[in-house]
Amino acid sequence: MTEEEFWKSWLVIWILAWPFLLAIVSLTYSLYLSRCHLDAIKDALKNSRYIYLWGPSLGRRGLIWSHYEMSKISGMVAWPKTYIRMGDLNPVDVENFPPQLKRRLLINLTLMGSSSAGILAAGLLAHYG
């Protein structure tokens, strides 16, 4: 194997592995939010129907559910109009939501979206490349 082919093979491995590493970072960050900031998030959204219904069990149902809950709450904060129309979110809570928590939830949403897009692109690259 020539040296050029060797580096091309390592480049392909890293291109295909990078989205999966980003997904692990995303899951870890989501778990961090659910363990360290969930109480502050629940306090900020205390008038919302979703928190009222699910509040006592949020963060207590395991790793997969904690990730799902943070995904749902991140979506609620990122796209509030949709969730206000559905009745899950109170408009007053959105206006008074702390900016540092909103920034953390948007980072979580960005990590999830970019890792999902990367995994899709890596799958397409592996299949058609």
Side-chain angles (χ1 to χ4, degrees), residues 79-91 94:
W79 299 290
K81 290 180 183 178
T82 304
Y83 290 95
I84 290 171
R85 274 189 243 128
M86 287 173 34
D88 282 347
L89 191 60
N90 189 337
V94 174

Side-chain angles (χ1 to χ4, degrees), residues 14-119:
W14 278 109
I15 288 173
L16 293 177
W18 180 251
F20 293 99
L21 296 173
L22 189 60
I24 291 170
V25 170
S26 172
L27 289 170
T28 305
Y29 189 68
S30 182
L31 183 63
Y32 161 75
L33 287 176
S34 70
R35 297 292 184 240
C36 297
H37 297 286
L38 187 60
D39 291 333
I41 292 169
K42 287 185 345 186
D43 287 340
L45 297 173
K46 63 183 170 272
N47 298 322
S48 297
R49 185 174 70 105
Y50 180 76
I51 300 299
Y52 176 76
L53 293 174
W54 294 101
S57 66
L58 288 178
R60 293 186 174 89
R61 294 187 289 177
L63 295 176
I64 300 297
W65 280 103
S66 294
H67 178 66
Y68 170 73
E69 292 159 353
M70 292 314 303
S71 301
K72 170 84 174 185
I73 293 171
S74 296
M76 288 169 61
V77 171
W79 299 290
K81 290 180 183 178
T82 304
Y83 290 95
I84 290 171
R85 274 189 243 128
M86 287 173 34
D88 282 347
L89 191 60
N90 189 337
V92 176
D93 287 347
V94 174
E95 291 174 12
N96 298 329
F97 198 79
Q100 70 274 13
L101 286 177
K102 183 174 184 176
R103 186 180 71 244
R104 290 178 191 267
L105 292 174
L106 291 177
I107 289 170
N108 186 35
L109 195 64
T110 303
L111 282 171
M112 287 186 296
S114 59
S115 65
S116 298
I119 288 172

